[in-house]
Amino acid sequence: MLVHNFSIISLILAILVILILEGDKRMCGIVGYIGFKNELDVKDVLLSGLSKLEYRGYDSAGICIYNEGIHIFKDAGRVEHLKTLVDDSITANLGIGHTRWATHGKPSKRNSHPHQSLSTRFTVVHNGVIENEIELREKYLSNYPFVSETDTEVIVALIEKFVMEGTEPTIAIRQVMGLIKGSYAIGIIDSETPDKFYAAKNKSPLLIGLGNNFNMIGSDAMSIIKYTNKFIEIYDQEFIVLAADKVSIYSILGNQIERNYYVETLDAADTEKGVYPHYMLKEIDEQPFALRRLISEYFTDTDYNIDADITDTLRNTDRIYIIAAGTSMHAGLVGKQFFEQIANIPTEVHISSEFIYNTPLINDNPLFIFLSQSGETADSRAVLVKIKELGFKSLTITNAKGSTLSREADYTLLIHAGVEIAVASTKAYTSQIAVMAILATKEAEIDATVIKKDLSLIANVIEGITDNKTIFKELADQYLTKRSCFYIGRHIDYFVAVEAALKLKEISYIQTEGFAAGELKHGTIALIEEGTPVIAIISQENINLNTRSNIKEVKSRGASTIIISLKSLSSATDQIVIDDVSPILSPIVTIVPTQLLAYYAALSRGLDIDKPRNLAKSVTVE
Ligand code: F6R
């Protein structure tokens, strides 16, 4: 067991992780389609694609289809609502669709995409934020009668302005791309050339899907995998012309670029809920499979299977800097323990949005590890851009092959967790931790069969937990009924506590804090009142008694307590007892009951579990 390699130095980091996922940090979605007549019905394609993009978070949806003219259907609200607005009698072979998360102007029909130019010749959908919108309005569009409050309208207004001044439309679009500062993935229809449509991208994700007799764009593979598995990546500042039988990629300067397609292995069925009421529950249950898949990817029968370039780089590094946000950052806190305790490499964990301001002194041979399930988080990408400028090495650990962070880092390790659709990350967290454990044990030259066995055991233990869900529903119904809640833990359990707290707060809206158990008495204990739930995690022998004393402290002040413990450390009254696993790897297991508690707390409150309010799956705006 790895416990033998784990120094039991008590390294309690007093980091208070207050994670605020603000409403203006979001990710809209785009789908676009052009096909020959009688191929697919564009309405179905767009609406199905937008449904697949719902997980990213949105508050409005809209589509534009072309049939002897432009027809736009849009409104604030869900895709289901949009479906009721679309005129079924119109068939079309060209269209673009959009889910919007309001930033510039409230969710409303007027602010929903698509947006049109004044003459209605150009129609656009846009993801991202135009940072110099005001400057562009003042310089080029001072008398323009804007219809919406969005930054997006500037795009079509400018294109039309340049076209009216005599510029050819494709040149006008590239000219506008050159003027915009910020992020964008856009789809544009020019109603005078309905045999094609245009797309462009900078910082916001966008992919081309190639079909037989049709071509598409989508914000991610999931949105269009039902129709094709052949994809072409679009890089930043590229301009695309899509026709039913042809796709052309150009640089912003108009130079044509050749790029091969790749075949996406994602199965369309992976994106369905199947028998599950929610994606989150499905994804919690998938964790053992995800771990087993990871084992098959990262090991041969008796050895590790990791790219030697990565292990060589790790060997030569004198400090690891883990850069991540949210749940991934919490996985990073656990990873730090592996890299330091197992691999003996000093490691720091940084919240990506803070790194730019609180940049630490950097060692001579750093390795930056970007942890990101989506591979698209703008805050993390900003750090990647910065450290690349400084010439430092980078490794992205992600679930998304071909994502921005993966493409732009020197190396990538995939977590192979399978599609994660619920906004609250579950299997990506456990798989990220497992990949870091494998990397650290490889670096420490620990026999591969040992860690393989430990991870296999963990997969079985998780199955034991997820097979018995009733207890979690009962505990959630009994305890998680208050306005606030605390998770506490010491040592590595503290890092699980902060992630457990995030899970509960983000989907149940119960105000929850993850606390270092010993820190609670230094102020926060004042918040404990009659019935306040306090949930303790106990997976390490050296903290068992101390955490239990903290539980007693809060209990005597009225708290209702739940203890999650490993069997060998458990006491008869602990409500959730987990079979023993390697203590240092225990976060992969101890988090699972907390995911289920969060799920059932949200369920009993009747909340939108897979799409919690104000949150988006990928946060592509800094
Ligand atoms: C919460 C959650 C978020 C993400 C964060 C970073 O359940 O999923 O906190 O972890 O937005 O996203 P990624 O991992 O895609 O970089």
Side-chain angles (χ1 to χ4, degrees), residues 99 171 227 241 314 317 320 418 424 558 572 581 594 609 613 620:
T99 49
I171 298 175
Y227 305 101
V241 182
L314 200 63
T317 194
I320 293 171
V581 295
T594 74
I609 295 182
R613 69 180 179 210
T620 52

Side-chain angles (χ1 to χ4, degrees), residues 325-328 372-374 377 423-425 502-503 506 619:
T327 289
S328 294
S372 173
Q373 58 84 20
S374 67
T377 300
V423 165
S425 181
L502 175 59
K503 228 45 8 169
E506 71 180 326
V619 186

Side-chain angles (χ1 to χ4, degrees), residues 30 32 96 125 173-174 177 184-189 196-201 206-208 216-218 234 237-242 248-250:
I30 286 183
I96 48 181
V125 290
I173 296 171
R174 286 189 283 105
M177 287 166 64
Y184 56 83
I186 42 183
I188 302 168
I189 293 179
K196 54 180 139 228
F197 77 104
Y198 307 110
K201 155 181 163 32
L206 196 63
L207 285 170
I208 298 166
M216 311 179 70
I217 52 169
I234 308 175
Q237 302 223 314
E238 286 182 347
F239 168 65
I240 319 296
V241 182
L242 295 104
S248 312
I249 307 175
Y250 299 92

Side-chain angles (χ1 to χ4, degrees), residues 475-497:
L475 286 171
D477 288 348
Q478 186 186 342
Y479 288 85
L480 303 179
T481 54
K482 304 284 178 197
R483 200 176 54 87
S484 59
C485 176
F486 291 90
Y487 270 99
I488 60 169
R490 288 170 178 257
H491 200 294
I492 209 159
D493 298 333
Y494 166 43
F495 305 127
V496 179

